Amino acid sequence: MAVDELDTRILRLLLREPRTSVREYARILGIARGTLQARLDRLERDGVITGTGPSLSPAALGHPVLAFVHIEVTQGHLDDVGDALATVPEIVEAFSITGGGDLMTRVVARDNAHLEDVIQTLISLPGVVRTRTEVALRERVPYRLLPLVESIGHAAAN
């Protein structure tokens, strides 16, 4: 789905000021509220906007340890293992990948001992052959989309 310059202005505003009302967004952008709402509905329908909830900090929730766990899966069991991963609350994301392993998960834990317990849980899942864990030391670039949206906006304007 192609986004135009107005779409990128809307997305930029949503990212910069996420708690503003639709009416205020329309005023800031200088467009009719109905136009803005139609654009927002289309962006949601097309999967560009995927959520509106708050961003939460696992560290502030008592889980400051972040690790990436690569999981090698027995051939033919990828879906089963993926379903089982969804039952482990400390797994905040999981992706099928290429390269070394079949799945990569982002895991949060209270401390290193808790991380070890989570890894042991993963190893015990039927279909898991082995895991490889990398512990994150410090976040260098937080999850962000504003620079991407701005780049797309510049391209759409030219």
Side-chain angles (χ1 to χ4, degrees), residues 57-67 107-112 114 135-137:
S57 165
L61 292 170
H63 289 68
V65 175
L66 171 63
V107 177
V108 295
R110 293 184 302 273
D111 52 35
N112 287 344
H114 182 219
V135 176
L137 300 176

Side-chain angles (χ1 to χ4, degrees), residues 57-85:
S57 165
L61 292 170
H63 289 68
V65 175
L66 171 63
F68 298 94
V69 179
H70 299 258
I71 302 172
E72 187 176 323
V73 176
T74 304
Q75 203 164 17
H77 289 85
L78 191 60
D79 289 338
D80 296 333
V81 173
D83 292 343
L85 294 177

Side-chain angles (χ1 to χ4, degrees), residues 95-121:
F95 300 92
S96 298
I97 61 169
T98 63
D102 300 298
L103 295 162
M104 183 177 75
T105 64
R106 186 188 323 212
V107 177
V108 295
R110 293 184 302 273
D111 52 35
N112 287 344
H114 182 219
L115 176 61
E116 182 182 8
D117 293 342
V118 173
I119 293 166
Q120 291 302 318
T121 297

